[in-house]
Amino acid sequence: MRPVAVIGIGKTKFGAFPDRDLRSLAVEAGQKALENAQADPAQVEAFYLGNFAGPEFVGQNHLAPYIAGAMGITGVPATRFEAACASSGAAFFHAVSAVSAGLYDVVLVTGVEKMTSRPTPVVAGILAGAGDCCGEVAAGATFPALFAMIARRHMFEYGTKREHLAAVAVKNHANALHNEYAHMRKAITIEQALSGKPIADPLTVYDCSLVSDGAASVLIVPLERASEFAGQPVRVAGIAQTSDYVALDLKADITTFEAVRRAAEKAYKMAGVTPADIQVAELHDCFTIAEIIATEDLGFVDKGQGGPFAAAGCTAITGSKPVNTSGGLKAKGHPVGATGVAQICDITQQLRGEAGERQVTRHDIGLTQNLGGSGATAVVTILAAA
Amino acid sequence: MSTTTTALPEAQLQPTKTGHSGGVVYTDTVIFSGPEQFVKDVPYQIAIITLDDGGRLTCRIDGDNVSIGDRVEFFEFRNGIPFFRKPA
């Protein structure tokens, strides 16, 4: 197995874009990643696409060759990966695995979702398809409801408070102010977050990530060939994807994501680092409680202490463990199929020292955590300055 | 394939097709923003119940709202959805 590097990154702005279709978003991100590395579409040996529900949101199937073709990439494997909100994390994992194994040298990975063209209840129904449609979803659960039940149990077992959840939202909104690609650049207060419109008790609208359109893309190559390209390389030091039951009611303990813990354990081992070594992280805050639990599952803080950890400012850009300097899914936006690769782009920017006002001071090693559904897929990636 | 060494029992994979007597609320939420087919029902409560006969089940709550630790009983199926409620 040979080391792999991210050599090019590209993102669209995240937001609601009535005039943009799914393909144009994906093509923009892909072309930006190629441009960032000064690579040519003809060099691309395989195209990996992460997309959760293109067929349901916009009626288009056979998406990978549809998008690759528009970028001038033909004659190579072009395949779509679906793993709910971890779709492009999964695409990235499999792309890295193939390059690492020597199957290809130059691979483009893109994540995309076009969500805002459908009414909210329809979007909620499509997203619920990432849950168990014979059980929890049939009983009326939405994704906010599943994470509300997780939050309720976390509060019951560990004393986590709504103020802790609100602190995550306030922090991520503050971070997005400095991210020109973010969907929502608006500061909020703890009071606003606490008094937001209820969605699924105890979660308010400020605990939920945004429904967004957007795409993100990375070009990966073997580390040994990185010098042939223009972009500053970032090494994939460790990566793992794991799975768990889809239904929340089949998990023994819903206050932790076992899939995340297992993926983290493998990725840390592969990279030869510990949680204490991670200097900056992009975590899957689809709901505020998910960021709190992620900091626990990744070993940044003891189990049950994620709430006070966030409220104390430890996860702020200036804190001891900066989390979601991009604004996270909460404020940067969450075009679900784009999220995993967008996280890789954001950490690559940090490790290159190109994060502008969001730049953290120590930036040699970073981590991304991408979650599918209520924890049935997890991808953890550790990136290191090459 | 699951990561466990045995497959899940049918009762857990198809919970809505089996009857249950009762259990204890493991967690719950009241939903204010529902999916298309349940928009007319909001606000409504769902809960995960730890069943007396083993395993857990996601169900709707009929009548008074329940909290973690409350004892509930199976009430009825409506359109295939199991409804539980507090004992009379």
Side-chain angles (χ1 to χ4, degrees):
Chain A
M1 303 297 275
R2 51 187 186 163
V4 175
V6 173
I7 197 71
I9 57 173
K11 284 197 299 186
T12 67
K13 197 178 179 322
F14 286 2
F17 307 122
D19 300 336
R20 299 288 302 272
D21 65 13
L22 178 149
R23 183 169 61 181
S24 82
L25 291 164
V27 167
E28 180 189 329
Q31 288 176 337
K32 280 179 172 170
L34 290 167
E35 200 177 298
N36 185 243
Q38 285 182 26
D40 191 88
Q43 291 176 276
V44 174
E45 295 165 55
F47 178 64
Y48 285 66
L49 178 73
N51 171 262
F52 167 52
E56 293 80 4
F57 282 122
V58 302
Q60 179 67 50
N61 240 311
H62 216 172
L63 279 164
Y66 177 73
I67 290 162
M71 284 190 277
I73 298 167
T74 58
V76 300
T79 312
R80 170 186 167 210
F81 287 73
E82 188 276 299
C85 305
S87 292
S88 63
F92 182 75
F93 168 79
H94 287 280
V96 168
S97 302
V99 173
S100 183
L103 206 52
Y104 319 110
D105 276 5
V106 184
V107 171
L108 187 64
V109 190
T110 298
V112 65
E113 210 75 55
K114 169 72 189 172
M115 305 172 75
T116 66
S117 44
R118 308 295 299 276
T120 304
V122 175
V123 172
I126 293 171
L127 292 174
D132 180 0
C133 293
C134 294
E136 58 202 14
V137 174
T142 56
F143 261 86
L146 294 174
F147 280 86
M149 291 197 289
I150 290 167
R152 184 80 92 199
R153 189 73 200 181
H154 200 276
M155 289 169 156
F156 177 81
E157 291 194 22
Y158 300 106
T160 303
K161 295 175 167 49
R162 284 196 58 211
E163 286 75 5
H164 297 147
L165 305 182
V168 173
V170 169
K171 184 257 303 173
N172 288 350
H173 273 271
N175 290 352
L177 287 177
H178 306 298
N179 182 358
E180 60 181 333
Y181 286 84
H183 185 163
M184 192 175 282
R185 300 173 75 185
K186 188 182 87 175
I188 61 164
T189 63
I190 292 277
E191 292 70 30
Q192 269 177 297
L194 290 173
S195 60
K197 182 183 152 202
I199 299 295
D201 204 32
L203 305 184
T204 77
V205 69
Y206 288 108
D207 291 299
C208 305
S209 56
L210 305 172
V211 171
S212 314
D213 303 330
S217 199
V218 293
L219 189 72
I220 61 170
V221 297
L223 185 61
E224 66 202 21
R225 288 195 56 190
S227 60
E228 297 171 31
F229 298 85
Q232 187 186 333
V234 159
R235 188 168 54 90
V236 181
I239 186 165
Q241 178 180 336
T242 56
S243 65
D244 197 358
Y245 301 117
V246 165
L248 198 58
D249 55 24
L250 290 178
K251 297 183 175 82
D253 179 358
I254 66 171
T255 65
T256 181
F257 295 113
E258 184 63 25
V260 173
R261 295 185 347 152
R262 288 188 191 190
E265 196 180 322
K266 287 183 179 183
Y268 284 136
K269 192 175 169 195
M270 189 185 292
V273 301
T274 68
D277 297 321
I278 304 300
Q279 297 164 341
V280 58
E282 287 288 321
L283 307 186
H284 197 96
D285 60 324
C286 50
F287 300 92
T288 49
I289 184 65
E291 180 174 313
I292 287 172
I293 292 176
T295 58
E296 298 170 357
D297 287 341
L298 293 164
F300 294 175
V301 66
D302 288 343
K303 184 69 208 158
Q305 294 307 303
F309 189 63
C314 299
T315 53
I317 290 175
T318 52
S320 56
K321 197 68 97 180
V323 169
N324 288 331
T325 64
S326 67
L329 286 51
K330 176 72 206 77
K332 174 180 68 180
H334 185 28
V336 294
T339 286
V341 166
Q343 294 176 319
I344 301 289
C345 291
D346 291 327
I347 291 296
T348 298
Q349 261 191 321
Q350 283 284 1
L351 299 189
R352 285 174 167 181
E354 295 173 349
E357 289 187 71
R358 297 177 286 115
Q359 185 64 50
V360 296
T361 48
R362 297 182 308 141
H363 50 91
D364 298 313
I365 187 150
L367 176 150
T368 68
Q369 172 252 350
N370 189 200
L371 190 73
S374 59
T377 296
V379 184
V380 173
T381 305
I382 295 167
L383 297 170
Chain B
M1 288 296 289
S2 88
T3 52
T4 51
T5 51
T6 53
L8 291 166
E10 185 64 11
Q12 267 180 278
L13 291 173
Q14 297 282 350
T16 58
K17 291 187 171 56
T18 56
H20 301 285
S21 53
V24 173
V25 176
Y26 172 69
T27 189
D28 73 281
T29 182
V30 176
I31 297 172
F32 295 89
S33 180
E36 216 174 2
Q37 69 272 35
F38 296 113
V39 165
K40 63 182 187 321
D41 294 355
V42 296
Y44 60 92
Q45 189 174 37
I46 65 169
I48 296 178
I49 309 300
T50 302
L51 299 164
D52 294 338
D53 42 2
R56 295 204 185 111
L57 175 74
T58 307
C59 68
R60 281 277 292 271
I61 298 298
D62 177 80
D64 293 344
N65 280 357
V66 299
S67 304
I68 292 176
D70 282 354
R71 170 117 211 118
V72 289
E73 291 175 345
F74 174 72
F75 176 47
E76 64 178 3
F77 281 111
R78 281 182 219 160
N79 298 321
I81 302 168
F83 277 72
F84 279 62
R85 64 178 179 184
K86 281 184 180 173

